[in-house]
């Protein structure tokens, strides 16, 4: 998963892009980058591995002069984790195009072959974002226009849609011309646009999440439609066009469960409110299955489950307590490459307040269970702290299948629920009782915010994928996502 932002304004945009990236940091901590274009049609960039605050120093910011620009925070889902994968990615023809991408292409290998053999483009990495950039560049370059208008640009996006399968929210700078945004035909990854009145023109921001608009003085205009492209030329004129023949709105439901900030709205649905409804539905399920439950206290596993857990406690009429204190300065444990490090890291990241556990029946709430590392360790900690019984609730249903659309999920075989029954998972994590949200309740919790949405991307729960899959794709992905293979890849990269 990644975070992307683009700003086109009257004045220099780098400082605001930097602030935006800080507000999107939760979407990726592996690498960060910014590219901006200035009035002399010069493209200036800085990207590197690490957190936003580590990548950009004063001396870098001073060189990032330009009034339209894009930024990226990276969280690797496809390709490796080295610095060559940091974005924006750049291609010098036509015009010089810099691009950032959130999502994952499912046919990037096939497209990579087409680019190399038929279109004579050399790719430097196995990143699907580099493939996407080159496909778009090829389709734009083919039109052989010295001064591309929005029509040429939209035509290139339409061709890109035809060729690329998967999920992509994209921002690109076309050097000397303007800034482009487009969203895949299913609208799987989020993207929205905001506006701010300037002295001589309107300023625009386009980003994965809208939580950053108000702090930066922007007002949300709307979500970018699935399949739509928006182009803001260098003078600040905005153009938009639907570039897909068959757009469908199918947002990724996991954005609401885990990824997005609670203060964001995606496709008009408040993430915060949908999490509250997840809590309400869980409470309803508990009351139905165990009307005479003996839960003494509800405790969230911070941070993403806090909203759902609080509402669950209110609806159950049971005290809500903070039983864990999170060290905010440690990266997300999931990102720790290997299982042993993950286990140790959970303990370092979350400290326990024994007094909330001693002699009590506790209901721990997390947003989801993936490998089961966090839940197992946390249940062990709760027991050590003196809990009588430890119940565990997940605000999402059982995750059984790998994600193909930009969320870094482990190989299917490493998902705790992939080949275990409900009771087996409960026993493996050592919970006295385990309760998962049903898929129907999860969908209802989210859809209530925008009943016009008919479908959500829910494949990690169902194994049903919306986009065409090329032969052996799932098998190859399964192998590449195994811890063992990741370890070998990283060792090889370190030697280079
Ligand atoms: P696990 O310990 O593998 O079961 O992971 C569960 C925890 O990871 C939960 O606390 C979630 O908040 C978090 N989580 C879920 N999905 C992801 C993801 N794709 N990347 C990082 N963390 C995640």
């Amino acid at each position: 998963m990644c975070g992307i932002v683009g700003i086109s304004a009257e004045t220099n945009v780098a400082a605001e892009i930097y602030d935006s990236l800080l507000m999107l940091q939760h979407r990726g901590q592996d690498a960060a980058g910014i590219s901006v274009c200035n009035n002399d049609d010069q493209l200036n960039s800085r990207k590197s591995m690490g957190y936003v605050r580590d990548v950009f120093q004063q001396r870098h910011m001073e060189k990032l002069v330009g009034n339209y620009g894009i930024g990226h925070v990276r969280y690797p889902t496809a390709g490796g984790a080295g610095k060559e994968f940091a974005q924006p990615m750049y291609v010098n023809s036509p015009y010089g195009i810099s691009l950032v991408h959130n999502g994952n292409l499912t046919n990037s290998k096939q497209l990579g072959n087409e680019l190399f053999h038929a279109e004579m483009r050399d790719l430097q990495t196995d990143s699907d974002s580099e493939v996407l950039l080159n496909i778009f560049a090829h389709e734009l370059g083919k039109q052989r226009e010295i001064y591309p208008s929005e029509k040429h640009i939209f035509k290139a996006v339409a061709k890109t849609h035809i060729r690329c399968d998967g999920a992509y929210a994209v921002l690109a700078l076309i050097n000397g011309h303007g800034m482009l945004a487009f969203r895949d035909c299913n609208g799987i990854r989020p993207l929205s646009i905001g506006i701010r009145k300037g002295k001589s023109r309107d300023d625009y921001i386009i980003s994965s999440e809208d939580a950053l608009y108000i702090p930066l003085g922007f007002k949300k205009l709307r979500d970018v439609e699935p399949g739509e492209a928006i182009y803001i030329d260098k003078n600040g004129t905005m153009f938009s066009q639907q570039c897909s023949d068959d757009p469908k709105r199918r947002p990724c439901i996991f954005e609401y469960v885990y990824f997005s900030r609670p203060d964001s709205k995606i496709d008009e649905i408040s993430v915060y409110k949908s999490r509250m409804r997840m809590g309400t539905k869980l409470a309803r399920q508990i009351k139905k299955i165990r009307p005479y439950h003996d839960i003494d206290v509800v405790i969230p596993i911070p941070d993403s489950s806090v909203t759902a857990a609080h509402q669950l406690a209110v609806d159950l009429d049971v005290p809500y307590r903070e039983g864990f204190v999170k060290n905010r300065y440690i990266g997300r444990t999931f990102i720790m490459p290997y299982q042993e490090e993950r286990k140790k890291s959970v303990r370092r990241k979350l400290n326990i307040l024994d007094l909330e556990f001693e002699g009590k029946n506790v209901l721990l709430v997390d947003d989801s269970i993936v490998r089961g590392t966090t839940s197992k360790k946390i249940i062990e900690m709760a027991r050590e702290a003196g809990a009588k019984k430890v119940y565990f609730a997940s605000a999402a249903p059982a995750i059984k299948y790998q994600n193909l659309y930009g969320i870094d999920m482990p190989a299917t075989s490493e998902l705790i629920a992939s080949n275990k029954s409900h009771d087996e998972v409960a026993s493996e994590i050592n919970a006295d009782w385990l309760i998962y949200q049903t898929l129907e309740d999860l969908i209802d919790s989210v859809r209530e915010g925008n009943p016009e949405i008919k479908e959500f991307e829910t494949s990690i729960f169902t194994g049903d994928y919306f986009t065409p899959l090329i032969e052996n794709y799932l098998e190859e992905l399964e192998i590449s996502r195994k811890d063992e293979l990741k370890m070998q890849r990283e060792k090889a990269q370190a030697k280079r």
Side-chain angles (χ1 to χ4, degrees):
M1 185 65 72
C2 303
I4 61 174
V5 61
I7 301 183
S8 169
E10 259 177 334
T11 49
N12 278 342
V13 291
E16 287 191 323
I17 293 180
Y18 175 89
D19 288 342
S20 305
L21 292 182
L22 286 177
M23 290 187 257
L24 292 174
Q25 185 78 83
H26 61 286
R27 298 183 70 89
Q29 295 120 25
D30 201 55
I34 296 178
S35 292
V36 295
C37 264
N38 67 19
N39 287 340
D40 298 328
D41 299 342
Q42 236 180 2
L43 193 84
N44 301 306
S45 293
R46 160 76 186 159
K47 58 178 180 173
S48 189
M49 302 291 288
Y51 283 79
V52 175
R53 61 164 190 258
D54 301 325
V55 169
F56 301 97
Q57 311 302 322
Q58 189 65 30
R59 63 180 193 281
H60 303 123
M61 296 306 292
E62 278 161 13
K63 288 188 194 142
L64 291 173
V65 178
N67 70 318
Y68 53 111
I70 53 177
H72 188 260
V73 283
R74 179 163 196 260
Y75 171 43
T77 46
K83 62 176 183 294
E84 64 273 33
F85 294 93
Q87 299 189 27
M89 288 196 165
Y90 176 76
V91 71
N92 65 0
S93 173
Y95 321 109
I97 303 174
S98 195
L99 176 141
V100 291
H101 164 218
N102 172 208
N104 182 49
L105 299 189
T106 51
N107 61 340
S108 67
K109 206 166 155 192
Q110 173 198 320
L111 292 173
N113 283 334
E114 288 173 20
L115 282 167
F116 186 74
H117 295 292
E119 288 154 16
M120 288 174 285
R121 283 178 176 262
D122 180 37
L123 300 177
Q124 294 294 304
T125 67
D126 62 354
S127 156
D128 61 331
S129 308
E130 193 185 0
V131 168
L132 185 56
L133 166 62
N134 277 275
I135 294 283
F136 173 72
H138 178 77
E139 296 299 339
L140 187 57
K142 238 171 39 181
Q143 300 177 58
R144 309 206 71 77
E145 281 294 331
I146 294 179
Y147 299 103
S149 72
E150 70 284 0
K151 287 198 191 71
H152 304 109
I153 289 164
F154 292 153
K155 188 170 169 193
V157 174
K159 297 271 185 186
T160 305
H161 282 327
I162 293 169
R163 296 184 66 183
C164 294
D165 295 333
Y168 43 94
V170 174
L171 281 162
L173 289 186
I174 303 170
N175 194 13
H177 299 283
M179 181 174 93
L180 169 71
F182 56 96
R183 195 175 176 195
D184 68 73
C185 309
N186 291 301
I188 295 177
R189 299 267 67 92
L191 199 64
S192 64
I193 174 162
I195 189 167
R196 181 175 65 190
K197 286 262 164 258
K199 284 199 189 97
S200 60
R201 52 162 280 193
D202 289 333
D203 297 343
Y204 292 98
I205 184 166
I206 303 184
S207 172
S208 307
E209 292 192 41
D210 60 9
L212 39 115
Y213 296 175
I214 290 175
L216 295 174
F218 287 88
K219 196 173 125 217
K220 183 166 178 176
L221 260 182
R222 60 184 177 83
D223 293 284
V224 176
E225 293 295 311
E228 187 190 19
I230 294 183
Y231 178 61
I232 297 154
D233 72 15
K234 67 175 178 181
N235 303 315
T237 309
M238 183 182 115
F239 305 88
S240 69
Q241 188 177 298
Q242 177 52 257
C243 296
S244 161
D245 293 338
D246 188 21
K248 296 205 168 69
R249 193 182 297 277
R250 293 157 157 172
C252 167
I253 210 153
F254 211 61
E255 290 278 350
Y256 302 92
V257 170
Y258 171 75
F259 261 103
S260 290
R261 293 168 57 121
D263 48 346
S264 284
K265 269 188 169 184
I266 298 174
D267 288 305
E268 292 174 36
I269 302 172
S270 153
V271 174
Y272 175 72
K273 280 198 181 170
S274 61
R275 287 183 188 165
M276 280 172 71
R277 291 189 286 263
M278 287 173 212
T280 294
K281 306 259 184 216
L282 271 176
R284 217 174 277 167
Q285 210 194 137
I286 292 173
K287 283 190 204 160
K288 198 167 144 204
I289 306 176
R290 293 198 176 179
Y292 305 106
H293 70 78
D294 56 357
I295 301 165
D296 295 318
V297 59
V298 172
I299 295 181
I301 297 167
D303 282 326
S304 341
S305 74
V306 163
T307 314
H310 186 254
Q311 191 58 40
L312 192 168
V314 169
D315 288 0
L316 275 188
D317 201 14
V318 163
Y320 168 84
R321 294 282 185 269
E322 287 179 29
F324 296 98
V325 178
K326 184 172 172 179
N327 177 355
R328 285 169 206 292
Y329 305 99
I330 194 165
R332 284 188 169 181
T333 49
F334 195 96
I335 293 164
M336 297 274 151
Y338 317 116
Q339 190 62 2
E340 274 316 302
E341 284 179 51
R342 271 184 217 115
K343 278 191 208 153
K344 273 192 239 154
S345 174
V346 175
R347 193 67 190 81
R348 284 172 200 156
K349 182 170 160 184
L350 291 174
N351 204 9
I352 196 159
L353 278 166
D354 291 14
L355 57 104
E356 291 298 354
F357 292 83
E358 276 159 17
K360 292 184 191 163
N361 297 328
V362 298
L363 174 64
L364 303 179
V365 185
D366 205 352
D367 59 88
S368 58
I369 304 174
V370 184
R371 289 184 177 89
T373 324
T374 313
S375 37
K376 195 171 177 173
K377 187 77 207 162
I378 272 179
I379 291 174
E380 185 188 313
M381 284 158 69
R383 292 194 192 284
E384 279 166 14
K388 267 201 299 188
K389 284 189 188 150
V390 186
Y391 307 133
F392 200 95
S394 161
I399 298 178
K400 298 185 174 189
Y401 303 93
Q402 51 189 332
N403 184 280
L404 314 185
Y405 301 125
I407 296 180
D408 183 28
M409 282 290 165
T412 303
S413 56
E414 291 170 356
L415 296 167
I416 189 168
S418 70
N419 53 8
K420 289 192 181 65
S421 68
H422 183 284
D423 290 348
E424 284 167 342
V425 175
S427 135
E428 174 80 23
I429 62 173
N430 195 19
D432 292 304
W433 184 40
L434 168 67
I435 177 161
Y436 276 115
Q437 187 86 264
T438 66
L439 182 58
E440 203 188 346
D441 278 350
L442 174 63
I443 294 175
D444 286 350
S445 308
V446 181
R447 182 188 279 144
E448 204 177 313
N450 182 358
E452 300 217 326
I453 299 184
K454 301 285 174 266
E455 284 177 295
F456 288 88
E457 201 300 291
T458 57
S459 56
I460 52 173
F461 310 117
T462 62
D464 298 330
Y465 300 102
F466 284 136
T467 57
L469 295 183
I470 52 175
E471 218 185 317
N472 298 333
Y473 180 75
L474 287 178
E475 292 76 5
E476 283 174 22
L477 195 71
E478 176 73 13
I479 295 169
S480 76
R481 281 185 168 173
K482 284 210 167 128
D483 264 359
E484 212 180 309
L485 214 99
K486 279 190 194 159
M487 206 152 31
Q488 282 172 15
R489 258 201 322 252
E490 272 161 42
K491 276 190 190 148
Q493 238 156 23
K495 274 194 197 148
R496 268 196 258 145

